Amino acid sequence: MVHMKTTSLIALAAAVPLVLTGCYSDSKSAKEKADSQAASAAQRVYVAPGKLDDYYAFLSGGQSGSVFVYGIPSCRFIKEIPIFEPRAALGYANNAGSESYKRLRESGPMWGDMHHPVLSQADGRYDGKNLWINDKANGRVARIALRTFETVAIRHVPNIQGAHGLAAYLPSGKYLFVNGELEHDFAKNGTDAADYRSVIAFLDAESLETKFEVMIVGNADIASSGKDGRYVFSTMYNTENAVTSEGMIERDRDAVAAIDVPLAEKALAEGRFTKINGVPVIKPEEVPGVLTLIPVPKNPHGCNVTPDGKYVLASGKLSPTVTIIDAHTLKVAAEPEVGLGPLHTTFDGRGNAYTSLFIDSQIVKWNIAKAIQGDPTYIVDRVDVHYNVGHTKAAGADTSYPSGDWLLSLNKLSKGMFLPVGPAMPDSQELIDISGEKMKVVAAFPSLPEPHDAVFISRQALADKVAQTYEISPTATKLGEEKIVRNGSQVDVYMTCIRSKFIPEQVEVHEGDRVNIHLTNVETVRNMTHGFALADHGINIAVDPGQTQVVPLIAGKPGTYWYYCTWFCSALHLEMRGRLLVKPIGAPVSDSIVLEARPRAQGADKKAAKTDYE
Ligand code: RUQ
Ligand code: CUA
Ligand code: CA
């Protein structure tokens, strides 16, 4: 007994400090745990200087008119690809004679509202060739060649207002299809709302020429393609064909539209269409089966086909559900509840879906098969994001082989996330590790407004595809072949540039001459860009290695105007400059290309020409 008592006393005595240290070590371990979590998150996204990211993420620039390229997982901003807006920093569309300016100007306004970047695919994988994007406001689509990361085509789509959802028709990829979100009377140019229609337009994926359109009553919102060449899908939130927001939420159910593409092509071949504004438009009442409307709850938004091509998922937006539709039978398979404000859904390739919840400010991970089987444990995980997520996209989620490692949450509001910069804050993206059962938010990064959507492509997929330099055009001016060609008041200057010289360094013209500077950058190494800015003539362009740019200008008042290189290219960058010498009309002008290092005054002796600096 005594023995036992002693033991319990000892135990009690030992327990007291234990309880105290217990408290202390609990708080210490909580802090340690947080620190180690932060450290492991930081490690996940750390890419050492000189090392490359695993993915390129292309973020739609929204109102900014550009696509932003970020490295993932580091979240480093790497490049801006200007598309619908001039960008002087990159010499894009800021000079009236440039190809980029003409292409943009001819297609519509010099700004855009971009939403959905789409990557080209072959055999169910990204092939690293093209990136497309829509301009919702001006009914346009653009193509960027990933070889050069440059906009190579912009086309206006006839009969469309609010060119919104955009996707490639799979598996062939021969079309790109774009959804008309805003209904209007394009057949009669009228204003009677009863005649309002929208179209889903099918464009040639390379030229972006509109091949045909399918007319719909109501609108077409987000787009996604089946994987077997039969149907393409679109969510419709205004099946009411209403013109007020109250009217657009009248019905309890709207629809997912399924278009049978081979049937549409058949109708086209048989002439069953009406030409409207030069485009064959197929009316579903004349081609039964070309359009099927699948009822889904009120005002759906996201439309996403699963990687295996079996289902198309419509995210409920006003309904807390995602509707799972069989992509072949077009029957609804299940309608699981996922949370408030489901907008878009993406995939990890392991049978899980990730849906953005705008109202809950969460990403919810759920299992598709379990939801279809009615297994109540289909919700796997939820994670908070900051705040009000719109799109979410996992790496490779649009292909047949998602990578299942990273997911981006593209959030609308970033209050409190970054240094305050006035009433308007940057937009915010969060990077989430989805490689495990539980999601982990590991990084947040700001951007200009407003990335709606993003796509990732792996570094390997582009590794041997990105050009080192532009291919020199056969008509480009070669080093030593520079010349000035005059034809009355038209002057064409064939100029080269290379570190650290423009040749010629002097061009003589007359006041009012129409001058074209054809400038070729004859550098043969990557990254050796030169600029060409001309004082008082509104000219500033960039010429990348191997590229030729044409700069048209009207020579101003008589005088000396320097042109100079705007890209810091060498130790002699500041010396890389030349003169446009504008002479009065009728004065003699020289076509000489090679100049003396220092022209001396006629008849002056060496002594007289000396300066204080010699
Ligand atoms: S839309 S979230 Cu084009 Cu979803 Cu923006
Ligand atoms: Cu060329 Cu600076
Ligand atoms: Ca509706």
Side-chain angles (χ1 to χ4, degrees), residues 130-132 141-145 150-154 205-208:
N130 290 314
L131 175 77
W132 297 281
V141 174
R143 180 164 71 87
I144 292 107
E150 225 194 25
T151 305
V152 291
I154 302 178
E206 288 286 309
S207 70
L208 306 183

Side-chain angles (χ1 to χ4, degrees), residues 16 49 67 96 117 142 170 195 200 243 295 414 443 522 524 527 614:
V16 175
V67 158
L170 299 175
D195 292 331
I200 297 178
V243 292
S414 69
V522 293
T524 52
N527 209 12
E614 284 174 303

